[in-house]
Amino acid sequence: MSEMSEFRSTDAPLTQDELAQVIAEDIQPGSFVNLGIGQPTTVSNYLSPEKKVTLHTENGMLGFGPQATGDQIDGDLINAGKIPVTELPGASYFHHADSFAMMRGGHLDVCVLGAYQVSARGDLANWSTGKPGAIPAVGGAMDLAIGAKDTYVMMDLFTKKGDVKLLPECTFPLTGVGCVSRIYSDKAVLLLDSSGIVKVRELHGITLEELREAHPEVTFETVGA
């Protein structure tokens, strides 16, 4: 996977589409990839045919393309988030159980998931906030987070209230332990590993000092430092 050996920054945060394009560029040619519900689904719109990336959806389809619009929409062709998708040559369909066998069997190179929280060591919390009465919505996230060779998170770096989503330890119920290798957010692209030292690959609309000030309990180093 592309690491970029040099740190880079821009003055403005990335839009969701710009972030989706960054992720699409980082996915290696020939990869088998699952895109989670929500923001990650937009990544399919930026994968060039030349990369020959094969997209998997847990409801039982392999080989879908960009989101379907207009006359392209077929009510029977949807991803796990019920978004209409296009069908690429060679696409196949299979039982839900077979789809989960692909996920659990380590056959996916990358999954891109949303998150409520991520820890500095790559723990993922994305299925429940733990609030009393909240309806659990784990879906296939646990299977994807642990089954894929690489788990990327696509999320905003802060909540709408301004709370941090990158923490020394997650406070919400965990989806997976030590599974996240990268965070792609509106304000930063971050690389994670078991050391707990977060490598900063990109900053967008935030300085390194501001990032550290917002996350006083997390250790950051720029890529190449």
Side-chain angles (χ1 to χ4, degrees), residues 113-118 123-131 133-143 145 153 170-177 179:
L113 301 174
Y116 294 131
Q117 293 178 342
V118 180
D123 300 335
L124 172 65
N126 79 341
W127 70 279
S128 173
T129 60
K131 291 183 179 178
I135 299 173
V138 66
M142 290 182 178
D143 305 270
V153 161
C170 295
T171 59
F172 294 160
L174 292 183
T175 306
V177 175
C179 54

Side-chain angles (χ1 to χ4, degrees), residues 111 113 118-119 121-125 141-142 144-153 175-182 192:
C111 71
L113 301 174
V118 180
S119 81
R121 287 183 170 81
D123 300 335
L124 172 65
M142 290 182 178
L144 287 165
I146 300 302
K149 295 170 186 173
D150 264 306
T151 297
Y152 298 167
V153 161
T175 306
V177 175
C179 54
V180 179
S181 57
R182 300 186 186 192
L192 311 180

Side-chain angles (χ1 to χ4, degrees), residues 206-218:
I206 189 172
T207 66
L208 185 59
E209 290 72 22
E210 289 170 336
L211 183 70
R212 285 171 169 158
E213 184 178 346
H215 304 81
E217 296 182 88
V218 177

Side-chain angles (χ1 to χ4, degrees), residues 3-9 188-191 197-203 206-212 218-225:
E3 294 292 350
M4 288 182 60
S5 59
E6 294 183 3
F7 166 79
R8 75 183 186 100
S9 64
V189 175
L190 307 171
L191 311 181
I197 298 173
V198 178
K199 293 286 188 179
V200 183
R201 196 185 83 174
E202 301 177 26
L203 289 176
I206 189 172
T207 66
L208 185 59
E209 290 72 22
E210 289 170 336
L211 183 70
R212 285 171 169 158
V218 177
T219 301
F220 296 95
E221 293 180 358
T222 57
V223 168

Side-chain angles (χ1 to χ4, degrees), residues 35-56:
L35 303 176
I37 295 170
Q39 290 188 35
T41 60
T42 57
V43 174
S44 67
N45 297 329
Y46 297 95
L47 290 167
S48 64
E50 293 76 22
K51 295 190 79 165
K52 299 187 183 301
V53 170
T54 303
L55 295 178
H56 166 277

Side-chain angles (χ1 to χ4, degrees), residues 25-154:
E25 290 172 353
D26 277 358
I27 294 173
Q28 286 291 312
S31 295
F32 288 83
V33 179
N34 182 287
L35 303 176
I37 295 170
Q39 290 188 35
T41 60
T42 57
V43 174
S44 67
N45 297 329
Y46 297 95
L47 290 167
S48 64
E50 293 76 22
K51 295 190 79 165
K52 299 187 183 301
V53 170
T54 303
L55 295 178
H56 166 277
T57 178
E58 67 191 66
N59 54 312
M61 183 178 180
L62 195 65
F64 69 90
Q67 182 175 336
T69 58
D71 294 339
Q72 296 177 322
I73 295 176
D74 180 336
D76 291 327
L77 297 181
I78 59 172
N79 62 23
K82 300 182 180 179
I83 296 174
V85 294
T86 52
E87 179 187 50
L88 298 180
S92 60
Y93 309 91
F94 31 83
H95 193 278
H96 209 172
D98 294 327
S99 181
F100 270 71
M102 294 178 188
M103 293 153 56
R104 295 169 180 169
H107 303 290
L108 296 177
D109 296 300
V110 176
C111 71
V112 186
L113 301 174
Y116 294 131
Q117 293 178 342
V118 180
S119 81
R121 287 183 170 81
D123 300 335
L124 172 65
N126 79 341
W127 70 279
S128 173
T129 60
K131 291 183 179 178
I135 299 173
V138 66
M142 290 182 178
D143 305 270
L144 287 165
I146 300 302
K149 295 170 186 173
D150 264 306
T151 297
Y152 298 167
V153 161
M154 182 181 182

